[in-house]
Amino acid sequence: MGLHVKKSVWVSNWVWIVVICCCIHRISAFQTGTILCRPHRISQTEPQQEQQMNNVVSARQRQMNNVVSARFVSPSGIDELPNMYQASVFIGIYVMLTVATIPTIKSIDALSNTMGLERWRNTFVDTSLPLLLGLFYVCAGIGHFALADSFKDIYPPIGTWGIWYLPGSATFHVAWTGAVEALGGGGLLYGAIRNLLGMEEDYDHTAISKLVLPLSALALFALTIVVTPANIYMYTHGATMGDMGPLHLSFHYVRFAVQVLILGLLFAIAKDSFFFAWGDELD
């Protein structure tokens, strides 16, 4: 009986020893695992956070450089190029615009000399050209306000081409360019109608009134150059106005040629109408 009790006590002690050892082992393993897991958990969390930040930055860059890419498809494919090449295209188009406009101006001068200054003045500079271009720019200016959202669609967002960081919102730039177009177009119309009707005014008012035409043409010449980035944005990024679908590359080439012609005509109106007004005052 005594031996049986001793064996029971001995077995019970060993059971308690095993249980205590297991508990100590579990606690030690848990503490060790916690300490060892911290660097591992950090090493998993930091790359995830970094990847999330990179994804956010990439999304913002795509939003800046390819605004509404789901709607706009660029047939030129230039928006897929690195920013350095996009910037080169932007600058290259301005160079081409300058190179093409200069001979156009000279060609118009040659045409005026062929026609004779008096005929050129009465048929084109003082009448038909400012009348047609005036109507065009007045309508375009009104469109900036009537269809403001459509014009905002073709305004380049910040970061476009990697070089476009002009201050001011699209709403602001659409508004002021529209106002200048409307006022400049109105000035052309005023000069054309005044000449068509043969309005006679006293000397002082005549001198001032005759400057409206050349100054309006000069302002629109400068504005047409200033708003060229919107045209370039349409070409390089496939931006369109409103719900208009993708534009074929031929559209951009034709518009470029028309823009060169308009620049040449505006310069001719500004130069020749000022020359004629100055000559009239000398007489």
Side-chain angles (χ1 to χ4, degrees), residues 108-121:
I108 294 174
D109 284 340
L111 176 63
S112 66
N113 292 331
T114 302
M115 292 182 60
L117 292 181
E118 193 66 25
R119 183 184 175 191
W120 169 251
R121 176 184 184 179

Side-chain angles (χ1 to χ4, degrees), residues 149-206:
D149 290 338
S150 295
F151 279 92
K152 292 176 190 176
D153 287 341
I154 63 173
Y155 179 79
I158 296 297
T160 305
W161 310 297
I163 58 174
W164 185 257
Y165 295 96
L166 185 67
S169 64
T171 301
F172 168 74
H173 290 293
V174 168
W176 80 259
T177 53
V180 174
E181 285 183 344
L183 291 174
L188 293 183
L189 287 176
Y190 170 79
I193 293 173
R194 176 182 176 278
N195 292 322
L196 284 171
L197 296 179
M199 296 171 59
E200 295 293 337
E201 304 173 81
D202 60 85
Y203 177 84
D204 292 334
H205 289 286
T206 300

Side-chain angles (χ1 to χ4, degrees), residues 40-75:
H40 181 64
R41 282 154 57 182
I42 291 175
S43 64
Q44 287 180 343
T45 303
E46 287 181 351
Q48 290 175 355
Q49 293 177 346
E50 183 178 355
Q51 183 62 36
Q52 290 176 354
M53 291 297 297
N54 290 337
N55 291 339
V56 171
V57 172
S58 299
R60 288 178 178 175
Q61 289 177 343
R62 287 194 299 270
Q63 185 180 12
M64 290 166 55
N65 298 327
N66 301 296
V67 176
V68 290
S69 58
R71 289 176 52 204
F72 295 160
V73 178
S74 174

Side-chain angles (χ1 to χ4, degrees), residues 216-283:
S216 297
L218 187 61
L220 291 174
F221 177 87
L223 181 67
T224 303
I225 296 175
V226 169
V227 300
T228 297
N231 298 338
I232 298 176
Y233 179 56
M234 294 178 70
Y235 170 67
T236 58
H237 289 68
T240 57
M241 299 179 64
D243 297 329
M244 187 184 303
L247 299 172
H248 194 270
L249 288 177
S250 58
F251 167 84
H252 300 285
Y253 301 146
V254 171
R255 184 184 51 195
F256 180 84
V258 171
Q259 183 178 0
V260 169
L261 179 60
I262 289 176
L263 285 172
L265 293 175
L266 287 172
F267 187 85
I269 294 173
K271 177 176 67 68
D272 292 345
S273 62
F274 178 79
F275 171 77
F276 294 140
W278 178 67
D280 291 343
E281 295 305 313
L282 290 180
D283 293 340

